Amino acid sequence: MATDLVSPETEQPQESELRYALVAAHGCTVAMSVVPYLLADGDPGVARFLASGEPLPMGVRPVIVADTTVYGSVCVERLMRF
């Protein structure tokens, strides 16, 4: 009985490399949901929001996303302090 050897490249589907990890300073609005598409520039999977409590992956650029309001600015400041 012969077994077929499968190379590691074919075992897992190829995924595009995550370059931008987005952190929402407060909630997520419709305007904020457009940011991953703007950063991705047509390459899906390059930018995505991190889930609550998810660690920042190594080598990924963090991007804090907030509305351009006083409340959004206060949330960014609070996030940066902690």
Side-chain angles (χ1 to χ4, degrees):
M1 181 172 167
T3 59
D4 294 332
L5 295 177
V6 179
S7 65
E9 295 85 24
T10 58
E11 288 180 0
Q12 298 176 349
Q14 293 292 334
E15 296 182 18
S16 59
E17 186 178 335
L18 181 66
R19 282 187 270 165
Y20 301 103
L22 294 108
V23 179
H26 62 84
C28 188
T29 63
V30 173
M32 291 168 59
S33 65
V34 175
V35 174
Y37 299 104
L38 295 173
L39 289 174
D41 196 32
D43 189 8
V46 171
R48 69 173 175 86
F49 279 98
L50 292 179
S52 180
E54 183 180 354
L56 182 67
M58 293 292 293
V60 175
R61 295 179 183 171
V63 177
I64 298 174
V65 182
D67 287 333
T68 56
T69 60
V70 174
Y71 177 71
S73 300
V74 169
C75 290
V76 169
E77 180 185 10
R78 187 179 311 134
L79 183 65
M80 294 304 294
R81 286 180 187 250
F82 293 115

